[in-house]
Every structure is written in C-alpha cells, then in structure tokens.
Amino acid sequence: MALNAEASTGRWLPSHVYASLEETSARLGDLISCDSSPGDPRLGAYVLAVEDLELGRLLGHVGFSPLDVDVEVSYAIAEAFRGRGLGAEALASACSWIAETWGVPRVLAVTASANAASRRVLDRAGFVLEGERVMVFQGGEAVVSRYFWHATGVGRIA
C-alpha cells in the first residue's frame, strides 16, 4: 500500500492507487489467487515481488498479464530504492524467468512516452522500442511508447 501511495505511482500508474486498506487487501487477494489459478502469465495476472533479501524488505514488483496476443509487463520500485539499477535487474530477470518457465517468446511493455525514467529502465533491461502511439492508457488518452523484450536474445540485458 505504501508503494502505491507514492507520488510517482499516482502520476504514472493511477490505476494502482487504492483508496483504502480494504481495497488494497481485496486487490492483493485477487493477485495472489492468480499465482495458482491460472498460474500462467499468458492466461492471467502473475506478480513477482522484488525484495531485498538482506533487509527482508519488499522493494517493488514485476507483474505480467495477457494483453491481446502478448504478455504485458508492469513494474515498480519504491522511490527510496530507485537509481540503483534494481528495476532493470528485476525486469530482465523476471522476463528471463517467464520465458524459461512458460515459453513466453516476447514481453510487451507500455509506458507513457513522457515517463523518461521508465523508458530508461526498459532500455537498460534490454527492451527494444517498437514505436509510439496514442491510446487509452491509465484511464485516459495518452501518447505511449511500446517496447518489446525478446527471449531469443534480441533486446536482452547483457
């Protein structure tokens, strides 16, 4: 709930901002249930925690969900932990993991074109820019950048 209450989440991912603890708990319950049913990011939401194992602290998440014929990724790292490469590392590792686990050949990322920080994370994680377009995004019409990560090695982090 703290991550979703951060200013940057409200700005770039308003659909992830919940009004109450009850709403947050309900959404988390929904997401947790998806890990076992269907348990496949091509069929339903699948969210992985980004955690600092030494501190035992949750730093963010990387989530996957079906979008048309693709698997789309979303991600967030708590503001206090940004600028350390954790987002790109988590994103690249999670994409490799779902490619190996479920045979997902590519992953789509859509971000507001104005979100320069998110675009840098995608670049560093090995995503390749497909282009920009206007579409409904986060509840309104926006110019977005579409990126793809490919399991074949094109656009993968070194």
Side-chain angles (χ1 to χ4, degrees):
M1 188 160 176
L3 176 63
N4 291 356
E6 291 183 336
S8 59
T9 303
R11 179 174 182 195
W12 300 115
L13 295 171
S15 65
H16 291 205
V17 177
Y18 307 118
S20 66
L21 181 57
E22 292 77 24
E23 185 181 358
T24 302
S25 295
R27 183 63 184 136
L28 285 175
D30 291 343
L31 291 172
I32 290 167
S33 73
C34 290
D35 286 350
S36 60
S37 177
D40 183 330
R42 296 169 298 183
L43 303 175
Y46 197 93
V47 181
L48 302 167
V50 177
E51 182 180 10
D52 183 316
L53 295 176
E54 289 180 22
L55 295 176
R57 182 169 179 179
L58 181 66
L59 307 180
H61 74 273
V62 177
F64 299 93
S65 58
L67 180 65
D68 300 326
V69 299
D70 289 303
V71 171
E72 181 184 24
V73 67
S74 66
Y75 51 93
I77 299 292
E79 290 173 356
F81 294 94
R82 292 184 188 160
R84 303 176 192 182
L86 298 171
E89 179 184 353
L91 193 52
S93 295
C95 288
S96 292
W97 183 75
I98 71 155
E100 292 166 12
T101 303
W102 284 288
V104 174
R106 70 182 194 166
V107 176
L108 167 67
V110 179
T111 189
S113 294
N115 189 344
S118 182
R119 295 181 69 180
R120 282 191 302 274
V121 169
L122 290 166
D123 289 337
R124 291 179 59 210
F127 280 73
V128 176
L129 177 63
E130 175 200 58
E132 293 185 336
R133 65 175 66 164
V134 175
M135 63 180 273
V136 175
F137 181 73
Q138 293 295 314
E141 195 169 90
V143 178
V144 300
S145 296
R146 290 173 46 97
Y147 287 80
F148 282 99
W149 175 93
H150 300 273
T152 59
V154 176
R156 288 183 70 173
I157 198 166

